[in-house]
Amino acid sequence: MNRCKIILLALLGCACQVKAQDNLMMLVGTYTDGGSRGVYSYSFNQNTGESALLDSLQLQNPSYLTISDNGKLAYVVSETNDDRAALNIIRLSKNGGIQLLNTEKTEGADPCYVASNGNVSVTANYSGGSMSVFNLRDNGEKAALGTKFLGATGGPDVSRQEVPHVHCACFTPDGGYILATDFSADRILSFRLKGQKVIANGVAAKVSADSGPRHLVFSNDGRFAYLMNELSGKVTVFAYAQGRLEQLQEITSDCVGARGGADVHLSPDGKFLYSSNRLKAEGIAIFSVDTATGLLTRIGYQPTGAHPRQFNITPNGKYLLCCCRDSNCIQVYRRDMKTGLLTELHHEIPVSKAVCVQFNEVADSL
């Protein structure tokens, strides 16, 4: 084979690889009291912003979900305030097919968040005020409820913090800990990981009274953590090390006192942070990130549809997709890579009570 043919085949191979990487499998979680079936799978082209429905699965209130590192499974909550509250495990196929494998009760009401590291999965049970720990087996396809940890009260809001609420639980970048937001006690709890054993490790950090800590994300290098507080509407910046957080900054996301702060995400390059606000002046606050110090500077605000509960950014950083629950759609925004600002494309994806969107970056390897 001559040199020209070799070069041509190599270029064609690269083009096919890029094309495959552009087409992501996208999973969407919903509330099912408005006509939704449950979980939906889509293809989403992160180069063009185009999407297409692939499959759906009937499931009760799958309000939050996460995808396994190998892209073969999804862990999905059923957010109900009764004994149907559960962790569901779903098999994903390359063509977008989704199949329910099994369901395990959380024994905590209204699970609203789930995370997994391949050995254990954890759910944050909002009304149950607890974190449920599931031991995974059979390559993550089966789960057994193990330990359950309880949150506390102590916050000053008598209507929102009167009983314990745990809102999210996530694994730390060093792999050694789980941090959980103890909403009603205005603090973040720390748990040590030893294989499938989870051990209470005290308080990772306290936040200002009446904050209502909700969602937490880490910087790419694991040095910093960013907390969205629901009640205060502020983002708290922490330095992270060995299961502990040291507060560095508080900065306002919700400028109108709506007490509806929701989600928080960093851009893939770590240079910008986004946080969503509900109930009044609904939209997404935009911050630039000093990657050396972790500190934030507010640079913009993007109005959205009604109740932007959760959002996500494509792996290439080109698009931000926002689940607007009460507008019954997912809005698609183009991100300016240099400024971090958003431009609405006005081609919404219609989904009844859309509340969570996740991207499967390794679907093509299934």
Side-chain angles (χ1 to χ4, degrees), residues 64-66 75 77 87 113-118 120-124 136 169-171 178:
Y64 199 87
L65 56 91
T66 191
Y75 298 93
V77 301
L87 170 68
Y113 197 97
V114 58
S116 179
N117 70 351
V120 300
S121 285
V122 292
T123 63
L136 300 179
C170 54
F171 295 88
I178 297 169

Side-chain angles (χ1 to χ4, degrees), residues 186-365:
D186 290 322
R187 62 184 186 174
I188 299 173
L189 301 176
S190 176
F191 303 89
R192 186 183 295 274
L193 270 170
K194 290 186 176 181
Q196 289 192 324
K197 193 172 183 180
V198 178
I199 305 164
N201 189 44
V203 177
K206 295 181 179 179
V207 294
S208 301
D210 201 32
S211 288
R214 183 179 169 97
H215 279 193
L216 185 72
V217 294
F218 291 90
S219 61
N220 292 335
D221 60 11
R223 294 168 56 217
F224 305 107
Y226 300 88
L227 171 70
M228 183 63 196
N229 295 287
E230 181 170 345
L231 301 181
S232 69
K234 293 181 179 180
V235 176
T236 309
V237 182
F238 299 98
Y240 170 76
Q242 298 180 331
R244 294 289 184 262
L245 298 168
E246 178 186 355
Q247 184 171 320
L248 302 176
Q249 181 188 22
E250 273 190 343
I251 187 168
T252 299
S253 172
D254 165 20
C255 294
V256 296
R259 300 177 74 75
D263 203 14
V264 61
H265 289 282
L266 286 158
S267 58
D269 61 10
K271 294 181 179 179
F272 299 95
L273 181 135
Y274 302 82
S275 57
S276 61
N277 305 289
R278 304 163 297 166
L279 308 182
K280 296 178 184 177
E282 294 174 307
I284 296 174
I286 306 168
F287 303 88
S288 63
V289 181
D290 184 325
T291 55
T293 66
L295 301 181
L296 304 177
T297 301
R298 187 181 173 108
I299 59 172
Y301 197 83
Q302 176 64 52
T304 64
H307 208 95
R309 181 181 171 95
Q310 189 262 4
F311 63 93
N312 217 329
I313 300 170
T314 54
N316 67 358
K318 190 171 182 179
Y319 296 99
L320 183 151
L321 278 71
C322 182
C323 292
C324 297
R325 187 194 70 183
D326 294 349
S327 292
N328 296 306
C329 71
I330 300 173
Q331 291 180 319
V332 182
Y333 295 89
R334 181 181 290 112
R335 284 187 64 248
D336 188 306
M337 302 287 197
K338 294 182 179 179
T339 67
L341 300 181
L342 303 174
T343 301
E344 187 178 358
L345 298 184
H346 298 287
H347 56 243
E348 291 87 358
I349 303 168
V351 185
S352 175
K353 300 289 185 180
V355 288
C356 181
V357 58
Q358 302 283 13
F359 299 106
N360 191 350
E361 299 180 45
V362 292
D364 289 305
S365 66

Side-chain angles (χ1 to χ4, degrees), residues 133-152:
V133 180
F134 294 85
N135 296 328
L136 300 179
R137 59 183 188 273
D138 294 348
N139 297 316
E141 293 187 357
K142 293 183 180 179
L145 178 62
T147 316
K148 191 168 67 171
F149 297 94
L150 299 178

